[in-house]
Amino acid sequence: MARTLPPVHAIRAEIDALFTEGRDLVEVIEDVARLGARLIIQTAVEAEVDAFLGRARYQRANAATSGDEAHTVRPGHRNGHCPTTIKTTTGPITIARPKLAAPPRSSPHACSAPA
């Protein structure tokens, strides 16, 4: 099963494609500015999800805890992306907001309720 392209890599590919199309440089710079803002926001959102879960994309919880660094690894996993529009001064931009899913309650890794 092939992995999907992360949104950050897709945005970078869009930016690279702009310079190979042979368009007017002013139009290309405007599009690069919009895509650059989208790339910065998308990267920040993805980093926040990595920090929240305590592991990177496609990394398992047990692999995240095997390193020397001590950090919290939360139960749950990524469950795709949802398009979200953000208003900026240059106009609205759409990012791929990561969706998170909690583990099922019957899972042995599920958090138990505090006593």
Side-chain angles (χ1 to χ4, degrees):
M1 180 174 174
R3 293 183 177 173
T4 59
L5 188 65
V8 171
H9 292 145
I11 296 169
R12 287 184 180 142
E14 286 182 55
I15 292 172
D16 291 342
L18 288 175
F19 291 102
T20 61
E21 293 176 354
R23 294 175 33 201
D24 182 38
L25 187 58
V26 174
E27 292 176 8
V28 170
I29 290 173
E30 288 175 1
D31 289 343
V32 168
R34 278 191 215 97
L35 286 171
R38 188 171 147 209
L39 178 63
I40 290 169
I41 293 170
Q42 186 70 49
T43 302
V45 168
E46 294 287 344
E48 190 170 336
V49 169
D50 289 351
F52 176 77
L53 290 175
R55 59 187 179 274
R57 181 181 168 120
Y58 294 119
Q59 186 179 21
R60 302 286 183 226
N62 57 356
T65 58
S66 64
D68 295 335
E69 298 177 14
H71 60 276
T72 303
V73 177
R74 296 179 195 258
H77 60 276
R78 288 167 176 78
N79 190 23
H81 291 85
C82 178
T84 302
T85 302
I86 299 173
K87 294 179 183 177
T88 67
T89 56
T90 60
I93 59 172
T94 302
I95 65 163
R97 181 178 51 86
K99 295 189 299 185
L100 299 178
R105 288 287 177 185
S106 61
S107 169
H109 301 291
C111 293
S112 58

